[in-house]
Amino acid sequence: MLMKKFKSFILGLVNVYCREFKLVTHDIGIMLFLLFLPLAYPIIYSLIYNPELVKNVPLVVVDNDRTPLSRELVRNIDACDEARVLGYAADLPEAKKAMDSHKAFAILEIPDGFAKKIGRSEQGNAVLYSDMTLLLRFRGFLMATTNVMMEMGSELMTKDINLVAPLAETIAVEDPLPMNYIPMGNIRSGFDSFIMPGVLILILHQCIVLAIGMAGGARRESRYLVGYNPHNNMKSVAGTMLGQILCYITILVIPMIFLIHYVPLMFRFPMAGSLAEEMVYLLPMVLGAFGIGYVFQAFVTERESVFVSWVVTSVMFLLLSGLIWPHYDMIGIWRYLADALPSTWGVTGFIKIASNGATISQISGEFESLWIVSLVWLLLGYLTQRFVVYPSIYGRKSDAKKRATVAEI
């Protein structure tokens, strides 16, 4: 008897899998989320931020000091890769005209008395005005001026030491404590390599949630509107969900490999991890995304409504992922909400594997947390399907046979 029930369950599971495969291929909207977006979106986003480093961006100098030290400062900034001194302006209004015409994108103003203050061991300030239309330019100018100021400050301190203690002249020959900054997870210090590995995971997570949501919206509409019979159920709600999930995972395997392996390969993102470990780590996140999608079906009454929610959920998932808002800086409620999302743990762990070469055993804490969060979302998805979605579609008094009946596609 038990074996007969098991065989019946497996047969129903296979039927759900095959029918769902046919349903998905008949639905252009779901195919858009499962195939087109995972393949096209990463390319579009990566091209937006590529090249991820800006070099030789023109800068105008307003030198009110006109001293050898101020000219040395300008020469050192001009020697940096990030900036190129276009020329000198007589005053600030003339320099602003150069920025307004987009001949230059920053102004360096050196005040009168700059060298005199430094000679008195006081703080000499130079002012940098930058065009903020592109943050990469501002970042380049900031790095160039900061590095030059620190280097010149170190040289001036060395000269002062040699005046006090002439025998310390060897300090001026070689830096006694050299500092080399090497970003291990982002060797080129590029914006694309910093943000895109996490965005790739958010794209995968969002595509799954929206595809499942659209499938739920299709089930509430007439077959004459969607062009096919959208119902695909067996007696067991969990069995129906399992068959559908297996179908979607089969379709997502190739887009997923392209997303996490070939996109970083094409755009030279950090690839320090193993593809096999990345796939294993992301499996619970994918399952958790399916759980969110099944919960999401309770609020989707028509297929088009998923596009409205797309904008809201995309911003929320990005904000809580930790890419642009660090977890340690979040207040309590936002931190708890971030921890409750599979995408947050997926982004955190994937970056550690792909960018820093970590193994799953080294991030076992994130991996266990991801499994716990994903299983909770799958349970919530089951409860939503069992007590909200199914009764709203088939009626609370419908028997199991009626729910299991599937009209021919």
Side-chain angles (χ1 to χ4, degrees):
M1 187 69 178
L2 185 61
M3 182 61 69
K4 187 176 180 181
K5 288 184 178 180
F6 179 74
K7 288 182 178 179
S8 176
F9 177 81
I10 295 299
L11 181 61
L13 192 68
V14 172
N15 288 335
V16 169
Y17 177 92
C18 295
R19 287 197 300 263
E20 193 68 22
F21 213 103
K22 195 171 183 180
L23 290 175
V24 170
T25 55
H26 279 74
D27 195 312
I28 299 177
I30 298 178
M31 292 296 291
L32 176 73
F33 287 125
L34 293 180
L35 287 180
F36 177 75
L37 290 186
L39 297 177
Y41 245 52
I43 303 296
I44 296 173
Y45 271 89
S46 300
L47 288 174
I48 290 174
Y49 299 111
N50 192 278
E52 51 185 325
L53 297 175
V54 292
K55 296 184 177 182
N56 297 322
V57 182
L59 171 145
V60 174
V61 177
V62 179
D63 190 357
N64 295 319
D65 195 43
R66 301 287 181 175
T67 59
L69 187 61
S70 66
R71 289 192 290 269
E72 182 184 358
L73 173 63
V74 174
R75 284 195 303 268
N76 289 338
I77 292 177
D78 188 39
C80 296
D81 289 337
E82 295 84 0
R84 174 174 60 89
V85 175
L86 185 65
Y88 287 85
D91 50 23
L92 202 56
E94 183 180 343
K96 288 182 179 179
K97 290 181 181 179
M99 284 192 66
D100 293 339
S101 62
H102 298 291
K103 294 180 180 178
F105 295 95
I107 301 172
L108 178 65
E109 184 183 20
I110 304 175
D112 186 20
F114 174 76
K116 187 180 294 184
K117 286 184 178 180
I118 292 178
R120 294 198 300 258
S121 298
E122 298 178 5
Q123 187 174 7
N125 296 318
V127 183
L128 177 70
Y129 303 92
S130 177
D131 182 3
M132 297 295 290
T133 54
L134 184 62
L135 290 177
L136 289 177
R137 295 195 194 106
F138 170 73
R139 176 178 174 272
F141 288 132
L142 185 62
M143 288 183 61
T145 53
T146 302
N147 292 336
V148 168
M149 289 290 190
M150 290 179 64
E151 185 176 350
M152 291 183 65
S154 177
E155 292 177 356
L156 292 170
M157 287 181 63
T158 302
K159 291 180 181 179
D160 292 341
I161 291 174
N162 290 333
L163 289 174
V164 177
L167 294 179
E169 186 178 356
T170 52
I171 298 178
V173 178
E174 187 176 353
D175 189 356
L177 189 64
M179 296 180 63
N180 295 321
Y181 171 67
I182 302 176
M184 299 301 295
N186 184 4
I187 297 176
R188 294 191 293 172
S189 297
F191 185 76
D192 213 2
S193 297
F194 159 70
I195 197 170
M196 279 308 299
V199 172
L200 295 177
I201 305 306
L202 291 174
I203 291 174
L204 175 64
H205 183 275
Q206 193 72 338
C207 287
I208 295 173
V209 172
L210 296 176
I212 301 299
M214 178 170 282
R219 293 170 65 185
R220 298 174 185 268
E221 295 183 350
S222 170
R223 61 179 299 178
Y224 299 105
L225 295 177
V226 296
Y228 62 91
N229 176 38
H231 300 285
N232 178 22
N233 308 309
M234 57 186 290
K235 292 181 180 180
S236 170
V237 175
T240 301
M241 292 174 58
L242 179 59
Q244 292 173 344
I245 289 174
L246 291 175
C247 170
Y248 290 126
I249 289 178
T250 304
I251 298 172
L252 278 171
V253 168
I254 294 178
M256 189 172 171
I257 293 176
F258 174 80
L259 197 69
I260 66 177
H261 181 72
Y262 287 101
V263 172
L265 189 65
M266 286 188 292
F267 292 94
R268 299 181 181 180
F269 298 152
M271 296 182 65
S274 166
L275 175 61
E277 289 203 336
E278 291 170 358
M279 294 288 286
V280 171
Y281 181 85
L282 291 177
L283 176 61
M285 192 211 71
V286 170
L287 296 177
F290 283 119
I292 295 177
Y294 282 117
V295 173
F296 190 41
Q297 285 186 359
F299 308 97
V300 179
T301 56
E302 54 186 14
R303 293 157 48 86
E304 291 76 10
S305 59
V306 298
F307 292 99
V308 179
S309 59
W310 187 359
V311 178
V312 179
T313 54
S314 296
V315 174
M316 182 185 71
F317 288 145
L318 176 62
L319 188 66
L320 298 177
S321 66
L323 287 174
I324 58 178
W325 187 8
H327 288 156
Y328 61 80
D329 195 42
M330 295 181 183
I331 59 176
I333 184 171
W334 292 110
R335 187 178 300 173
Y336 294 140
L337 185 58
D339 291 341
L341 295 175
S343 59
T344 302
W345 298 103
V347 169
T348 302
F350 178 77
I351 290 177
K352 290 182 179 180
I353 295 175
S355 299
N356 298 324
T359 61
I360 292 182
S361 61
Q362 292 174 326
I363 54 171
S364 58
E366 289 87 345
F367 194 48
E368 293 172 1
S369 300
L370 180 56
W371 268 112
I372 293 173
V373 170
S374 298
L375 291 176
V376 169
W377 276 109
L378 282 174
L379 177 61
L380 292 175
Y382 168 78
L383 295 176
T384 303
Q385 294 293 308
R386 178 69 179 82
F387 298 105
V388 179
V389 177
Y390 273 52
S392 66
I393 296 177
Y394 303 106
R396 297 185 180 275
K397 295 183 179 180
S398 298
D399 58 309
K401 276 188 180 180
K402 187 176 180 181
R403 286 183 325 192
T405 302
V406 180
E408 286 201 20
I409 299 172

